[in-house]
Amino acid sequence: ALSGPNGAGKTTLLRILAGQTEKHGGELAFEKDTRVSLHDQRPPLERALSLREYVLSGAQDLIAVEGELRSLEEAMAGGVHDQGTLNRYAAAQARLEHAGGYGWRDRAASVLRGLGFADGDLDRPLRTFSGGELTRASLARALGGDPDLLLLDEPTNHLDVASLEWLERELQTLDAAVMLVAHDRWFLEAVTTATLELAAGRATFFPGPWHAWRREK
């Protein structure tokens, strides 16, 4: 849980981690090839895309991995079996398997259903959706890309009870690190295990749930 008063810099920190806002000091260090996804309250810019295209655009690395696997399979079928090629193939295969194998697109569609969209919505252009629906589409895009680090700014906005319960279960089982900002205390208690509080330009880390941090403070 990323905590702090309004104006403390929570959204700015998330956007810096996602590489969408310039930092003015310090160092940002990630393990090589770390995949970062951000959901915030900004609506999608490209409204001509269909809902399906928009959500899949958050998984460009998976599309690239599929292309790499096809290329490597063609090379190996042509007799290329050096260790470098085999290592690249194994790494690409492991990456795709982590995302659910070649069925990762079906998982992305299931995320949309979990957030309240119907199958008939998948091929509708974004311009036909309301602002609240676009916010949920942004959340689906962040979740559907199989990130290593998932950054969520107010993910509970515009969710009904069923979608909120689905999101709680999804985050509890997700194989990723998650940093989130939310005003829903029950949601924070359900899904977070540590608290980072920003205040007056400082960050304080507490290795425990939000209510324990409030009590300790």
Side-chain angles (χ1 to χ4, degrees), residues 143 150 152 155 166-176 178 180 187 191:
L143 287 165
L150 180 62
L152 303 176
W166 176 89
L167 181 60
E168 287 182 2
R169 293 192 299 270
E170 182 73 7
L171 294 181
Q172 287 165 350
T173 59
L174 198 65
D175 184 17
V178 181
L180 64 87
F187 182 75
V191 302

Side-chain angles (χ1 to χ4, degrees), residues 176-187:
V178 181
M179 289 183 67
L180 64 87
V181 179
H183 288 124
D184 185 331
R185 296 183 183 184
W186 297 111
F187 182 75

Side-chain angles (χ1 to χ4, degrees), residues 118-187:
D119 288 343
D121 294 326
L122 296 181
D123 294 312
R124 283 173 51 194
L126 293 182
R127 62 174 175 271
T128 65
F129 292 99
S130 68
E133 289 171 329
L134 291 175
T135 298
R136 286 190 282 124
S138 169
L139 179 56
R141 183 179 186 272
L143 287 165
D146 190 45
D148 298 309
L149 173 60
L150 180 62
L151 308 171
L152 303 176
D153 194 0
E154 299 291 353
T156 61
N157 286 0
H158 307 289
L159 297 185
D160 59 19
V161 173
S163 295
L164 184 59
E165 291 176 347
W166 176 89
L167 181 60
E168 287 182 2
R169 293 192 299 270
E170 182 73 7
L171 294 181
Q172 287 165 350
T173 59
L174 198 65
D175 184 17
V178 181
M179 289 183 67
L180 64 87
V181 179
H183 288 124
D184 185 331
R185 296 183 183 184
W186 297 111
F187 182 75

Side-chain angles (χ1 to χ4, degrees), residues 6-103:
N6 289 340
K10 301 185 295 297
T11 295
T12 300
L13 176 58
L14 294 181
R15 289 177 181 173
I16 288 173
L17 291 171
Q20 297 184 9
T21 294
E22 182 183 0
K23 61 182 177 64
H24 299 287
E27 182 181 2
L28 192 59
F30 287 107
E31 185 176 329
K32 184 182 178 182
D33 298 326
T34 297
R35 302 176 300 277
V36 182
S37 289
L38 169 66
H39 160 71
D40 62 15
Q41 300 304 304
R42 294 174 294 183
L45 295 177
E46 181 50 77
R47 300 296 179 88
L49 294 176
S50 69
L51 178 61
R52 187 198 308 272
E53 289 169 336
Y54 173 64
V55 170
L56 294 183
S57 72
Q60 291 297 323
D61 70 307
L62 294 177
I63 295 171
V65 166
E66 286 181 331
E68 183 180 15
L69 282 171
R70 285 192 295 270
S71 175
L72 291 170
E73 286 166 356
E74 290 173 2
M76 289 188 292
V80 178
H81 297 292
D82 62 279
Q83 193 60 48
T85 298
L86 295 176
N87 290 344
R88 284 173 58 203
Y89 186 80
Q93 206 168 38
R95 167 68 186 107
L96 197 63
E97 287 173 0
H98 185 275
Y102 284 98

